[in-house]
Amino acid sequence: MYKAFIFILRKELLLALRQKTDVVTVLFFFLIVSSLFPFAVGPDLNTLKIIGPGVVWVGALLCSLLALHRVFETDFSDGSLEYLVLSGEPLTVLVLAKIGSHWLITGLPVVIVAPLIGLQFGLSAGSLSLLLITLLLGTPVLSLMGSIGAALTLGVRGGAALTSILILPFYVPVLIFGAGAVVADLQGLSIEGHLSILIAMLCLSVALVPIAVANAIKIALE
Amino acid sequence: MYKAFIFILRKELLLALRQKTDVVTVLFFFLIVSSLFPFAVGPDLNTLKIIGPGVVWVGALLCSLLALHRVFETDFSDGSLEYLVLSGEPLTVLVLAKIGSHWLITGLPVVIVAPLIGLQFGLSAGSLSLLLITLLLGTPVLSLMGSIGAALTLGVRGGAALTSILILPFYVPVLIFGAGAVVADLQGLSIEGHLSILIAMLCLSVALVPIAVANAIKIALE
Amino acid sequence: MAVFFFLLASILTVWGLYVGFFVAPTDFQQGESYRIIFIHVPAAWMSMLIYLIMSFWAAIGLIMNTRLSSMMAHALAPTGALMTFIALWTGAFWGRPTWGAWWVWDARLTSELILLFLYIGYMALRASIEDPRRADRASAILALVGIVNVPIIYFSVQWWNTLHQGASVSLTKSPSMATSMLTGMLVMALAFWMYSIAVSLIRVRRIIRDREANAAWLSDSSGVQ
Amino acid sequence: MLEIQNLGFARGKNVLFENLNFSVKAGEAFRVTGSNGSGKTTLLRIVSGLCRPDNGVVIWDRDLARKNNSEFVKSVNFLGHDDGLKKQLTATENLKLMLPLLGASPSDRDVESALDAAGLEAVKHKPVMHMSAGQKRRVALTRLDFMNHRVLWILDEPFTSLDVTAISGLVLKLRKHIDSGGLLIFTTHQDFDVVSEALSLSLD
Amino acid sequence: MLEIQNLGFARGKNVLFENLNFSVKAGEAFRVTGSNGSGKTTLLRIVSGLCRPDNGVVIWDRDLARKNNSEFVKSVNFLGHDDGLKKQLTATENLKLMLPLLGASPSDRDVESALDAAGLEAVKHKPVMHMSAGQKRRVALTRLDFMNHRVLWILDEPFTSLDVTAISGLVLKLRKHIDSGGLLIFTTHQDFDVVSEALSLSLD
Ligand code: HEM
Ligand SMILES: Nc1ncnc2c1ncn2[C@@H]1O[C@H](COP(=O)(O)OP(=O)(O)OP(=O)(O)O)[C@@H](O)[C@H]1O
Ligand SMILES: Nc1ncnc2c1ncn2[C@@H]1O[C@H](COP(=O)(O)OP(=O)(O)OP(=O)(O)O)[C@@H](O)[C@H]1O
Ligand SMILES: [Mg+2]
Ligand SMILES: [Mg+2]
């Protein structure tokens, strides 16, 4: 079981490395979204400081959404999803591995680059580290929640669009509490509530999402 | 020739309608990008007003980029690109039709919704109409320039990523002059220069891009 | 049967509106605008309740593989979405005079909006899967995942300090409002109940008919209760 | 008449063929054989003008095909390994949207009855992605019914996934095309009736 | 032993099969025949547990397959119309990354020599997307060499795109599997040697 997890992870990462598509596109997207803003908005540091956390969080969300449709879609259309189901390993574990690699490919790079972007927006060290923490807690939730949408829309006509519609309700709270924490901190308010909610969302989704996704995949293959 | 143009256009639009993916995803993306900002940044109208044009333009750029990889990719992998080449109609015309439908699907909806989003950011009527004009001039350039990248990376390993890298240099000027015009106007500066550059870019790319793309496609099929 | 519930619904609505608009006293803080409460609160209650019932039937359909329960879930969704929409709309309408804004990103408002998205997602997913049995199962999963949102709506006013009103009707405490206000609200709630039952019955009958027409042979197979 | 002169092509170090010469006349069928990866598909793509050869030329009606390209291309009807169908569209929509590009403008009735004749009556209004492998191939092959104005048919393993009925139907179609003066180049790993009378060339 | 009892399945109004009963014993080959779209693929997917039937059950070693699912699934080796290969990865990488999931852990040497034996020596380090149709199918079929621990082989048109050499190689593999007490369920539109001794069921 543990071995199967590692194998899927390795395969996904090798694929990403081979295609380079996913990692680079995502980073590019993120950089475009966030670094074009100072450009488009003008260089006023006060404005930038206020919109900084929001821009970074929206960028992270878009990156996650962007690569989402492909988490299971290629496997579905080239027939390898069937092998996952028929491997005999618990599907929830395999699914978790796939979601994990989605996060490693779309979430982690964003988390790593975020401080750089934050600097561009003139965020203080305290805000930056808080931003980093919320991203570390929040982006896995995005990958997890998103994969439900991706799995439910496999082989369905309006795939990508439907995915966005389905997962938006799950993304919005993450964004609100993620970006909200940084903004609240800037305003000198307590952020404990925000962080504990993010943690709760993370725990809940790690526990429940793989089950939902595994079932959705089985349904899609029928 | 004219008939072939219309046929491609009809086919692409029917496909988009059938999948709904493209149109709705794009709109959703645009709405998410732009309406999440007030969310993440907070409701201060002064801040919003300043970042408004930038948000809308970045949104438009992302939408264009988003659907770009698919302009020729699905046709390539299901074998229908070969039929276009072998149809005997001038490939440049067919290519222009495909690019046109990309714009109709990703550019036009954005242009149509943009004023609504602009209102959300508290833009004045003058700014709004200027924003609309720059979008009308600029988004076709995005589709045109982008399709060069899409065609050059057909069947190449790192497809989507490469596309983004290739076309970014072409996108940034469009963004700078597009969003720049609105910001310059807000600051009471002249915008003639901005607009005439946008127009020049549009004319040049309509004339040259189809030729480049047609050749890139022929190379990809070898 | 649906006709009976419809009749009940209309009688109760008339009664409820009468109590609400003519019997209940004017609020000393909000004046007349508070009367939106007689539509707002029942609709908000129903929006959550219908979601719970819908998820319940969907879950039964998923686990026991019974078609009728999935059809029940299917039939409830549009009514739930309507109730959510009414709650949002009346809330926004009410927010203007009381908070000075149509909309704020408050926890209850946001979670109620998310409920609307969930209903829409549920219906969209159903609509885009052609095979009704696959649609049953896939949408059931979505409904079940979304169920976490309901307690969030309900308890949001306690968990976060929000603009929105706290609970004023409670089983444990004695009511803090005038009896006639309470009666009006409860009667209206009952009317919304009856309406929902009537409409869902009609819809489920139509769904059964459509599906049977599509697959007449299904009627003798194990699924239907 | 199609004439291939001195054709050569290599994939990297792997020389697929060299100094290939053959010709196909009106009313003739020509079969390319060879093991997997021997270059059949590549050869067919070169002949149809999709690929450029390393050496040699394709001559069509005494003219270089590459020179007189738009003329030549309008005589070619190519069917590759891939069906060239849009999976979200129905069979009917696929044909209706594709045929006009290829110079045929059949009425809706014609398209539908061609699909019926191919045994697709029950599924012709379903999206292609919900079809079985053989049904998809049948849709792709229905195109042939409207391609009589393009005389050079180049078909890469047209018989894949087809059942016995569909195969004999296709064989009849191909026969008819040849008998009415068409040219046919094709590949297949199995031996079917149409093959017996065909000239053939092995790439091994 | 595999037993199918009373199986029924419909796609919308289209009843593909009803009241299907058959059994396959150790050392037996079982062929499903039928025209395009008759439900062969669907039947194979139901037997392997990918789809749920409308009625009826699949029994494996006297136990309901669905109940004892993880046990059953570990006895099944399924190959569908699609090759299940990642087109950006090479043949070697594809196998090395896929086989461990299916319970086989061959050494790199074993994988490479199996690919060599399948005639893929020259291309085994190329991305699958640069292979010919038959080469791709050969890669997918090389998996069979490592699937002896899964006794129930379910193969949907394994012979597609293969040339004569590859077909006889595959026939040998299938024979060996059956002779060593394996079970085989397969479909094919052509008649090959392995078929002669197989029980068969028509869905028409
Ligand atoms: C778009 C805006 C609004 C939304 C989405 C909304 C949503 C809801 C929901 C979901 C409930 C039911 C919760 C429960 O039973 O505890 C509710 C109840 C209620 N709402 Fe709103 N509301 C909105 C605006 C307002 C406004 C502006 C007011 C008045 C100032 C208001 C006053 C109430 C009251 C008094 C209740 C009953 C609480 C109870 O007795 O439990 N709402 N609302
Ligand atoms: N995903 C799907 N959704 C809806 N209908 C489908 C789907 N897949 C197959 N069908 C339909 O089910 C029927 C049986 O398909 P199946 O693939 O089992 O046929 P088959 O016997 O394998 O045919 P072939 O010989 O062409 O491979 C066909 O009529 C097909 O249109
Ligand atoms: N796009 C490509 N890039 C690089 N090499 C390729 C490409 N396509 C095919 N090849 C190689 O060229 C050779 C010939 O391929 P081709 O598809 O022409 O074979 P084929 O005779 O059609 O085989 P099959 O019987 O399997 O269809 C093969 O060795 C293959 O690996
Ligand atoms: Mg080939
Ligand atoms: Mg099949």
Side-chain angles (χ1 to χ4, degrees), chain C residues 97-111:
Chain C
T98 45
W99 306 333
W102 297 105
W103 187 260
V104 289
W105 289 109
D106 155 288
R108 168 160 285 175
L109 274 59
T110 308
S111 51

Side-chain angles (χ1 to χ4, degrees), chain A residues 4 7-8 11 14-15 18-19 74-75 77-80 82-88 94 221-222, chain E residues 11 45 48 50-52 73-74 78-79 82-86 88-89 93 97-98 100-102 143 150:
Chain A
F7 263 105
I8 297 274
K11 185 176 127 199
L14 179 66
L15 254 173
R18 193 52 57 78
Q19 289 195 262
T74 43
D75 279 15
S77 65
D78 68 15
S80 36
E82 284 154 16
Y83 290 98
L84 291 192
V85 174
L86 290 177
S87 72
L94 306 183
L221 285 179
E222 289 200 353
Chain E
R11 289 275 186 200
R45 292 173 71 90
S48 64
L50 284 170
C51 280
R52 253 197 273 190
V73 154
K74 287 199 174 164
F78 177 85
L79 178 76
D82 295 320
D83 294 323
L85 302 171
K86 292 282 151 208
Q88 292 90 358
L89 302 182
E93 287 166 345
L97 288 171
M98 157 114 26
L101 265 187
L102 298 173
R143 223 158 28 205
R150 300 198 160 200

Side-chain angles (χ1 to χ4, degrees), chain E residues 37-56:
Chain E
S38 59
K40 301 180 294 299
T41 299
T42 312
L43 176 60
L44 264 51
R45 292 173 71 90
I46 288 177
V47 172
S48 64
L50 284 170
C51 280
R52 253 197 273 190
D54 291 339
N55 300 301

Side-chain angles (χ1 to χ4, degrees), chain B residues 222, chain D residues 11 14 16 34-43 81 156-157 187 189 203, chain E residues 123 126 129-136 161-163:
Chain B
E222 290 206 348
Chain D
R11 289 274 188 201
N14 181 11
L16 293 180
S35 52
N36 290 140
S38 59
K40 302 180 293 299
T41 299
T42 313
L43 176 60
H81 279 294
D156 198 358
E157 307 219 20
T187 69
H189 288 296
L203 292 181
Chain E
V123 292
K126 284 217 280 185
M129 65 177 156
H130 293 317
M131 290 190 184
S132 79
Q135 287 170 337
K136 280 181 208 157
S161 303
L162 296 182
D163 63 12

